[in-house]
Amino acid sequence: MAQCEICGTELTQGRARARRTCSDACRQAAHRRRRRAEVTALRRAATSPAPAVPAVISADASPAARIRATGAALAAAADRAADAAETGTLADTFLAELRHDYGELVDAVCAAMQSRQPTPASPALRVAPTTTAPTRPRVRGDAGPAAAPRPHRRRPLTQAQAMATTRGARLVLKDPEDRVYDVVAADSTVIGHVEPCYRAGRRSGWQGWAAGMTRSSAGPRQSTRQQAAANAAHQWVRITTAPPR
């Protein structure tokens, strides 16, 4: 059973908020005890020695000295935040100070890493002499000049790559008047379209939803937009994984 935190009297709890004291006098005594504890914590924080502030680093200091100074500043800020957490006086200013000192330390380390990397020397440009090939008379049966190279053919995607692209695809309304949707993958790739189908008119000729790679190549009819979008994704996977002809 709960007891009064001042005199130890047993308390009977009801449905309301749990009681911690048995009377008004004990409640005032508990309040004074909490205030004394807060004042003691504040006095201890005020009389504690202030943390050492790191010296200001000059602009021509070495990268190692800058890293050590910023690390000391971050450690000092962390000590001040820890003391404030123990006394219950932690505020947003400590978080801003930690973020600033941490950013300074990261910048110092990055600057030191860049200073250690050698700068690659730019290679000298070699200009090939321009020579004109001698012309020769064309003989019958000669194939003539070499034909232009064929354009680079697209390499088909693997099944895993195609399925990873279609994973997380969503419907995006493209034409509100005709209710045409684009099937957009997670990387903003449009992999198909979904549009309504009608037989004779909009009122009596509703035939469901059709999907395809383009609006002119609608596939079989589906009862919902989600099923049509899945059909469009399946068509996209089948086309992108097929070997080039």
Side-chain angles (χ1 to χ4, degrees):
M1 181 176 291
Q3 295 181 352
C4 177
E5 62 182 18
I6 299 298
C7 62
T9 304
E10 294 184 353
L11 301 176
T12 302
Q13 304 292 349
R15 294 185 177 180
R17 186 176 60 181
R19 300 170 54 194
R20 295 185 297 178
T21 55
C22 60
S23 62
D24 293 342
C26 290
R27 184 170 64 252
Q28 291 295 330
H31 176 69
R32 288 192 295 271
R33 178 188 293 179
R34 291 192 297 270
R35 292 298 300 271
R36 284 197 300 270
E38 293 177 358
V39 171
T40 302
L42 291 177
R43 287 177 178 174
R44 185 169 61 253
T47 56
S48 61
V53 179
V56 179
I57 302 301
S58 60
D60 55 349
S62 63
R66 184 181 175 188
I67 292 175
R68 291 192 182 94
T70 51
L74 181 60
D79 292 338
R80 289 193 294 271
D83 295 339
E86 291 179 355
T87 58
T89 59
L90 196 62
D92 294 339
T93 55
F94 293 97
L95 181 60
E97 185 178 2
L98 286 174
R99 286 178 175 174
H100 176 267
D101 294 337
Y102 180 77
E104 291 291 336
L105 179 59
V106 172
D107 293 341
V109 173
C110 292
M113 293 175 62
Q114 292 178 1
S115 62
R116 293 291 301 273
Q117 294 178 357
T119 304
S122 57
L125 297 179
R126 298 181 61 184
V127 181
T130 57
T131 56
T132 305
T135 60
R136 60 182 180 86
R138 187 170 182 178
V139 186
R140 178 178 296 181
D142 191 357
R150 294 184 178 181
H152 177 70
R153 292 188 176 183
R154 176 190 59 84
R155 295 185 61 182
L157 300 178
T158 62
Q159 192 74 17
Q161 292 174 346
M163 294 300 295
T165 303
T166 58
R167 189 176 298 114
R170 66 187 188 278
L171 287 172
V172 178
L173 183 60
K174 180 180 181 181
D175 190 349
E177 183 177 358
D178 294 337
R179 293 192 298 174
V180 177
Y181 294 83
D182 284 343
V183 184
V184 183
D187 58 351
S188 302
T189 302
V190 179
I191 62 178
H193 304 275
V194 174
E195 60 182 358
C197 297
Y198 305 97
R199 175 168 40 185
R202 288 179 176 268
R203 294 183 178 274
S204 60
W206 172 256
Q207 294 293 316
W209 298 88
M213 295 293 293
T214 60
R215 293 188 57 179
S216 60
S217 61
R221 276 55 172 169
Q222 304 292 338
S223 57
T224 62
R225 292 193 298 265
Q226 286 73 18
Q227 294 177 356
N231 189 15
H234 177 71
Q235 295 181 27
W236 186 85
V237 170
R238 179 170 51 83
I239 292 175
T240 55
T241 55
R245 297 180 180 179

